[in-house]
Amino acid sequence: MSESVLEASESGGILTLTFNRPEKLNALNDALTVELIDALRGAEQRSDVRVVVLRGAGRGFSAGQDLEAFVSLSAGPERLSVAEHLRRGYNVVATQIRTLEKPVIASLNGIAAGVGLSLALACDLRIAADDAVLTLGFSKIGLIPDGGGSLMLPALVGLGRAFELAWTSDKLGAEEALRIGLINKVVPAATLADETQAYAARFAAASPVALALTKRAFNRAVIPHFAEWLEEEAVLQEEAAAGPDLLEGVRAFMEKRRPAYAAR
Ligand code: T3D
């Protein structure tokens, strides 16, 4: 029997969901996204789940959209609409994370890139190993930050830093990410799993009402238009994907070379 691409484990009211495609740095494909949507729906329905932790198996959290899968989806007469793909997948997940009235914590054990990072930014809290690396990555393949990233990134770090991170796709170490407010806590890599459980346990023992209503309050105060923004983001991403840069960017990644982008 093949292993699941999303593994779930539970302890003390903490549901841990592990992206399980380590050979692909937990790049997200449709199967993983669908399982994640189901798991988050389950977490919402169960009162005994008090905290949700997202993490990755192996040496990364997630490398974002699986680019090989993306190429096959984009090929042929049934060409994928990027906006539609977002609506069916990442936008659902990001909305679930923001509307689940329980703490959702991203535990970053290595690389977090593309929409993998966006989903981590949609979480309420981020704890990272000291050797974790964060990168937007979208601009390298001609795209804009999606999965809510174009809203959560500036909300967390301010507009100036958001532009720099989104446009350069520079890799950020955990300490720098902590300094600019992108993450909440850095711990030694060897203790990340234990530290994550201990961190989550604090919230699992707290008043669920206080936590839920604080999340609702912060959502309404700071990102009241999150769902509407995801739709606008999807439309912008469709426009980005319609040009030649996406194909060139993805080809360059697969051929392990620098992309060559023509002037607009
Ligand atoms: O329709 C829609 O939904 C559009 C939405 C798009 C959302 C997005 O997420 S767009 C951004 C997608 N992600 C990326 O562009 C990141 C691509 N990956 C990288 O830039 C690098 O791999 C990393 C910075 C993440 C890590 O670098 P490094 O040096 O630690 O590892 P590596 O050697 O590059 O990768 C290891 C393997 O994973 C490698 O495979 P190989 O050569 O050993 O067979 C690599 O190809 C594979 N891999 C890494 N990222 C992806 C991937 N395979 C498929 N998709 C990936 N995203």
Side-chain angles (χ1 to χ4, degrees):
M1 207 172 82
S2 66
E3 279 193 350
S4 172
V5 287
L6 185 75
E7 296 207 322
S9 63
E10 289 181 48
S11 162
I14 303 163
L15 173 67
T16 300
L17 301 175
T18 302
F19 303 149
N20 191 28
R21 303 187 72 218
E23 71 291 352
K24 294 274 182 191
L25 287 177
N26 301 312
L28 298 155
N29 60 7
D30 287 356
L32 178 45
T33 309
V34 166
E35 288 199 24
L36 188 53
I37 289 169
D38 285 348
L40 290 170
R41 192 175 297 130
E44 186 182 17
Q45 288 161 354
R46 287 180 44 195
S47 61
D48 60 325
V49 171
R50 296 178 64 164
V51 179
V52 175
V53 171
L54 300 185
R55 64 182 290 279
R59 74 173 176 94
F61 176 74
S62 170
Q65 166 65 39
D66 185 319
L67 293 176
E68 269 178 60
F70 191 70
V71 167
S72 6
L73 286 168
S74 315
E78 301 283 313
R79 187 193 158 271
L80 165 93
S81 152
V82 170
E84 206 43 48
H85 193 240
L86 288 169
R87 286 182 194 118
R88 288 202 308 253
Y90 304 127
N91 290 2
V92 179
V93 177
T95 304
Q96 285 179 304
I97 293 172
R98 290 294 346 125
T99 56
L100 181 64
E101 291 198 332
K102 305 171 185 192
V104 185
I105 301 173
S107 179
L108 307 177
N109 54 310
I111 192 84
V115 76
L117 179 57
S118 296
L119 295 183
L121 299 185
C123 293
D124 305 307
L125 299 163
R126 285 153 290 284
I127 179 170
D130 53 7
D131 60 357
V133 174
L134 285 65
T135 171
L136 269 296
F138 299 93
S139 62
K140 286 197 170 172
I141 56 168
L143 294 180
I144 69 160
D146 61 19
S150 67
L151 177 53
M152 295 308 291
L153 181 67
L156 286 163
V157 301
L159 210 46
R161 283 200 172 105
F163 272 123
E164 192 177 10
L165 292 172
W167 279 350
T168 63
S169 288
D170 279 351
K171 290 180 178 166
L172 219 57
E175 287 297 343
E176 178 63 0
L178 178 68
R179 194 184 68 76
I180 66 170
L182 202 56
I183 62 176
N184 299 85
K185 198 172 163 69
V186 179
V187 299
T191 63
L192 177 67
D194 290 344
E195 295 268 11
T196 300
Q197 284 299 302
Y199 193 48
R202 286 190 64 181
F203 304 109
S207 156
V209 174
L211 269 48
L213 294 181
T214 302
K215 184 161 176 176
R216 199 185 302 173
F218 285 2
N219 276 345
R220 288 195 187 163
V222 183
I223 46 170
H225 54 300
F226 188 75
E228 292 83 348
W229 180 251
L230 288 176
E231 177 53 29
E232 289 206 39
E233 196 184 65
V235 171
L236 291 173
Q237 194 70 295
E238 182 78 34
E239 188 177 332
D245 291 358
L246 173 61
L247 197 58
E248 166 59 11
V250 172
R251 273 196 187 134
F253 172 72
M254 289 179 163
E255 292 163 12
K256 300 188 191 290
R257 62 168 172 83
R258 277 177 186 276
Y261 295 124
R264 286 182 83 186

